[in-house]
Amino acid sequence: MNLLEGRKLCKTYSRGGVTVKALIDVDFTLGDGEILGVVGESGSGKSTLLRQISGLETPDSGELLLCGTPLGAKRSREDYRTIQMIFQDAVGSFHPRRTIRSSIRESVRNLCGRDAQADLEALSAVVGLDPALAERYPRNLSGGQCQRFAIARAVAVDPKILLCDEVTSALDVSSQAQVLKLLSDICRERHMSAVFVSHDLAVVSCICDRVMVMYRGKVVEEGAVRDVIDCPKDEYSRKLISSVLEVKQEK
């Protein structure tokens, strides 16, 4: 049985009289302990897919199943604890008037009904940060530090699935590499699954077991990372890979 499965997911937005089909009959599976990469250009539907999985939005049609059980529009506290989201804007994901420590404690208290005070030392060690930094406000930390604490906050509630939405795109190259390794290590050591969304196929190839390519709301190709990169079957996938190779050659 798959840990997470999406069947014929559809989502449409209407903005200013314009209708946009963000998801069109999207099917996907996520195995236990697997890291699934979702790639595509802006507007391909990848972040919309994460919002449906996280419960921030509800699909117009289709269904999501967690361990074979349908996830309804109304999520339980356990559902939210099981599936944790890590956002692109790490600084903005924390309350600006609360210290990092306070935000993490509140999240754990709401989802687990316990105080995370005793966990914070260990959590800081897991993400490679001095626990004293948790006494600061988000604006007083670097983007990389905030992203690490965002990972710590998600891991603190012992989820089964991490949803990572462009989590390295706002970071410099050095911080990107550190965050990617951190996420990979955490998932492997704690046997967590993850859906890792990115516009960068090169980034996805560093961390994911399998990749799903999206274009204009549809899944155009999916398979093992190496298979898709070495032998892409879809024209759009070939263009994505070609653009990565061109950037590397220019460097």
Side-chain angles (χ1 to χ4, degrees), residues 60-180:
D60 296 333
S61 61
E63 67 176 344
L64 286 159
L65 297 96
L66 179 63
C67 297
T69 302
L71 280 169
K74 188 175 182 180
R75 301 283 177 92
S76 68
R77 185 167 71 171
E78 181 63 17
D79 290 335
Y80 284 117
R81 188 197 67 77
T82 299
I83 303 175
Q84 279 287 293
M85 184 94 153
I86 304 171
F87 297 90
Q88 177 181 0
D89 179 9
V91 177
S93 73
F94 286 98
H95 195 296
R97 296 183 181 178
R98 290 176 180 260
T99 64
I100 296 293
R101 181 183 297 276
S102 175
S103 289
I104 293 177
R105 290 179 69 183
E106 180 184 36
S107 177
V108 175
R109 189 182 300 114
N110 289 342
L111 293 176
C112 301
R114 61 181 174 81
D115 196 292
Q117 181 66 30
D119 301 337
L120 281 168
E121 295 284 334
L123 286 170
S124 297
V126 167
V127 298
L129 292 174
D130 184 340
L133 291 174
E135 303 298 341
R136 298 184 183 181
Y137 292 92
R139 63 180 178 274
N140 300 133
L141 297 173
S142 69
Q145 289 170 330
C146 269
Q147 196 60 279
R148 285 169 176 262
F149 274 125
I151 293 169
R153 177 177 56 185
V155 171
V157 299
D158 299 318
K160 292 181 180 178
I161 300 170
L162 293 178
L163 304 179
C164 306
D165 189 10
E166 299 275 14
V167 295
T168 62
S169 63
L171 305 178
D172 59 44
V173 174
S174 176
S175 295
Q176 280 186 18
Q178 292 170 2
V179 168
L180 285 173

Side-chain angles (χ1 to χ4, degrees), residues 215 232 234-246:
Y215 179 61
D234 184 81
E235 178 61 27
Y236 179 69
S237 299
R238 287 193 284 271
K239 288 180 179 179
L240 275 183
I241 294 164
S242 174
S243 66
V244 172
L245 292 176
E246 286 175 6

Side-chain angles (χ1 to χ4, degrees), residues 6 21 33 38 44 71 92 94 105 152 181-182 188 245-246:
K21 293 184 177 181
V38 182
S44 63
L71 280 169
F94 286 98
R105 290 179 69 183
K181 185 178 187 307
L182 174 61
R188 306 308 180 194
L245 292 176
E246 286 175 6

